[in-house]
Amino acid sequence: MSTPTPHPGNSSNGSPLPGPRQTVDPERIRSDVDGLLARLGGIEHDPNDQHGAGVIPQKAHILEQAHEVLVQALASVDRA
C-alpha cells in the first residue's frame, strides 16, 4: 500500500489551503532566530535573586519564541 504524496497548495485531504501560498525565506528565519538568541545575552542576573527565578523564565520565553519561529517555518515548508 502506498502513502499519498502531498502536492503544493493542497492539504493532506486534497482540499486547497486557504489564503495565499506562503514562501519560506531562510534568511529572514535565520535573522529572526539570531535576533531572539542575541537577546539571551542581554538578560542580566539580579544579584538579589539567588535561585535565578527571574532570569530563567525570561530566557525560557525567548527560547520558546525562537522555537515557534522554527516550527512555523517547518509548517510552511510542509505545506509547500
Side-chain angles (χ1 to χ4, degrees), residues 5 7-8 11 23 37 44-45 47 54 58 65-66 68 70 77 79:
T5 303
H7 298 283
S11 65
T23 59
L37 296 179
E44 295 186 22
H45 176 70
Q58 290 177 42
Q65 289 176 312
E68 186 60 29
L70 295 171
V77 170
R79 287 190 300 257

Side-chain angles (χ1 to χ4, degrees), residues 19-30:
R21 225 163 126 197
Q22 295 181 348
T23 59
V24 178
D25 178 7
E27 289 304 317
R28 185 188 61 78
I29 294 164
R30 188 174 293 115

